[in-house]
Amino acid sequence: MAVGLSDRLIKGSFWAIGTRVIGMAASIGLYGLLARLMSPDELGAYFLIISLIGTLGTIVLFGMPQVAVKVMASSIATGDPGKAKAAVYKMATLATVSVVSVSVLLDVGLGKWIAERLLHSMIIIGQIKMVSMLLVTTTLLMLMAEYFRGLHDIRYASIFSGTASSIVLLILAAGLWILGGKGLNHVMTLSLLASVIVLAVSVGLFLPWLGTVREKGTISLKELMQDAWPIAIMNIAVIVSLQGALWMVSYTMTEREVAVYGAVLRIVGLLTMTHGLLIAVAQSSMAELYAVNDRARLEKMARAMSTITFLVGLVLGLVFGGYYESGYELLLVVAGFYAVGIYFGATFNLLMMTGHIRSLLWVVIAVTVLRFVLAFYFARWFGLIGIAVAWGIGGWIQNISAWI
């Protein structure tokens, strides 16, 4: 059993890191293509659409992905795969009914209200029908990825957690670019097509497991919701806190500024991922050099890692090109706050995993409110950088609170 667990962890780590690297490469190519297939206004609207879909999907799923992992893994481990199968069917039914209901609401008026009143984006209004359909496929794909994780299949869980969608959309977008097509309408259609393809493949790969489970099992809705609601509230609070900056840019400015801010966030996200991978690869060597007191080589390695990260930043800065070079100063500000956040991040995650969710939830809610208030006023005085500073200050307060 111990050997099996060790093998599982090693293989899981290999797939998790490998798919992350591939996904990062695909994302670089995809962002570059999207910036050339759409105008800045359209790209800004697209970033808002992806943000809206991610947020609504998190609300609709209401903690079910994490519950799926827990219930499936524990049921299988205790010799009750029938219960895991019952949980899969019940959560799939709940998720489908919920997301289709929200999709219909978006289509009949809610989507237009959000676009007009909250996001101040007229471009999104013309894409509401596509948004509602993409919400359905994207949300169900989020759940499918966690089903695989519940089976300890980290390979497929990692592949279907965004990497596969990025690769398929990259291929479709490249075809559109070669054929000379452009515009948000085409990109939204391809995004929906990519999502449908990946969802169909994930379902096809998961169905054989359901067929192998012959045992009958039951699980009540109360049991699912008992575990889901605290996770759901935390997930919603966190995603609002993460996406709120982009919404504030849309609320106070135009889609062109949203495009710049969204591009910067993606560059910083990829830089953070790059730095994290470098740390994961080099940390054993760094520990060894420190143990033998080889400070010269240790400093050389640290400088090399920083240089690699910086060079990646330069390459990524060229991905969006032209108009988006105006976001260089914004990039420095956001990256600076993210760099400090990396130092505190492990503590925040540790507290979440050790039963302090309720305390952290109040911190996240209070900090999110503070961020919105600061961003509203800072945007008037300093524009995009003001919103970045407001969100960064909130992040510092949140992380310091986690330490305390």
Side-chain angles (χ1 to χ4, degrees):
M1 181 66 71
V3 174
L5 178 60
S6 176
D7 289 343
R8 185 190 304 159
L9 289 174
I10 292 173
K11 292 178 180 178
S13 298
F14 170 80
W15 277 103
I17 294 175
T19 52
R20 182 173 294 187
V21 172
I22 294 172
M24 182 172 65
S27 296
I28 294 172
L30 179 59
Y31 296 152
L33 275 175
L34 292 180
R36 288 156 179 80
L37 289 173
M38 293 183 285
S39 68
D41 287 331
E42 290 178 323
L43 184 59
Y46 184 78
F47 285 154
L48 286 172
I49 288 170
I50 298 304
S51 173
L52 178 62
I53 288 173
T55 303
L56 291 177
T58 300
I59 295 172
V60 166
L61 288 176
F62 204 74
M64 281 187 281
Q66 290 90 336
V67 173
V69 174
K70 178 183 177 181
V71 172
M72 292 176 67
S74 60
S75 298
I76 293 172
T78 55
D80 190 6
K83 182 178 180 180
K85 184 176 181 178
V88 166
Y89 280 125
K90 184 155 290 187
M91 284 186 284
T93 302
L94 286 172
T96 301
V97 172
S98 299
V99 74
V100 169
S101 299
V102 173
S103 176
V104 171
L105 289 175
L106 285 176
D107 203 27
V108 299
L110 178 61
K112 182 179 179 181
W113 182 84
I114 292 174
E116 283 184 344
R117 302 293 183 179
L118 300 182
L119 300 179
H120 292 180
S121 174
M122 296 300 104
I123 296 178
I124 294 179
I125 294 176
Q127 301 294 330
I128 294 300
K129 191 171 293 294
M130 293 297 295
V131 171
S132 62
M133 291 188 289
L134 189 57
L135 172 64
V136 174
T137 56
T138 302
T139 301
L140 294 180
L141 185 56
M142 290 166 61
L143 185 59
M144 287 302 306
E146 298 312 306
Y147 280 170
F148 284 110
R149 204 179 308 278
L151 297 179
H152 301 294
D153 194 334
I154 305 302
R155 172 186 53 176
Y156 286 144
S158 301
I159 289 173
F160 294 119
S161 291
T163 300
S165 298
S166 295
I167 293 174
V168 174
L169 182 54
L170 173 61
I171 294 171
L172 295 176
L176 177 64
W177 182 67
I178 292 172
L179 294 175
K182 285 188 175 183
L184 180 60
N185 290 332
H186 290 314
V187 172
M188 287 297 297
T189 301
L190 294 183
S191 296
L192 179 60
L193 178 59
S195 183
V196 169
I197 291 172
V198 176
L199 177 61
V201 172
S202 69
V203 171
L205 291 172
F206 185 76
L207 286 177
W209 176 81
L210 290 176
T212 62
V213 179
R214 303 299 181 184
E215 298 88 342
K216 299 292 184 180
T218 60
I219 185 169
S220 66
L221 179 61
K222 180 180 179 180
E223 184 177 353
L224 289 176
M225 290 298 101
Q226 182 177 335
D227 290 332
W229 77 264
I231 298 173
I233 294 175
M234 175 59 82
N235 287 347
I236 294 169
V238 169
I239 196 166
V240 170
S241 182
L242 291 174
Q243 299 296 327
L246 199 65
W247 303 342
M248 283 303 299
V249 175
S250 180
Y251 186 81
T252 58
M253 303 177 196
T254 68
E255 280 96 346
R256 296 179 74 86
E257 280 79 16
V258 173
V260 173
Y261 202 96
V264 166
L265 289 181
R266 279 152 180 79
I267 289 174
V268 172
L270 292 172
L271 281 173
T272 303
M273 188 184 302
T274 302
H275 188 262
L277 291 173
L278 288 172
I279 291 293
V281 172
Q283 60 184 355
S284 59
S285 298
M286 294 175 72
E288 178 182 346
L289 293 174
Y290 180 80
V292 298
N293 201 31
D294 192 344
R295 300 296 178 86
R297 292 180 63 190
L298 184 61
E299 291 176 3
K300 185 177 180 180
M301 176 176 287
R303 284 195 297 269
M305 291 172 59
S306 299
T307 301
I308 292 173
T309 304
F310 176 73
L311 290 176
V312 171
L314 291 179
V315 172
L316 292 174
L318 297 174
V319 169
F320 289 91
Y323 174 78
Y324 302 93
E325 292 178 0
S326 62
Y328 179 70
E329 292 182 356
L330 178 64
L331 173 62
L332 295 179
V333 173
V334 176
F337 281 111
Y338 265 73
V340 177
I342 292 173
Y343 176 78
F344 289 101
T347 302
F348 191 83
N349 293 335
L350 178 62
L351 290 174
M352 283 189 63
M353 301 303 294
T354 53
H356 295 82
I357 293 181
R358 182 171 296 180
S359 299
L360 289 176
L361 176 61
W362 287 112
V363 171
V364 172
I365 292 174
V367 167
T368 300
V369 172
L370 175 64
R371 279 173 157 171
F372 276 107
V373 172
L374 290 177
F376 182 77
Y377 289 101
F378 284 11
R380 296 180 177 181
W381 304 328
F382 309 110
L384 287 176
I385 291 181
I387 293 178
V389 170
W391 235 254
I393 290 174
W396 281 359
I397 294 174
Q398 180 172 290
N399 290 323
I400 292 172
S401 300
W403 273 85
I404 297 174

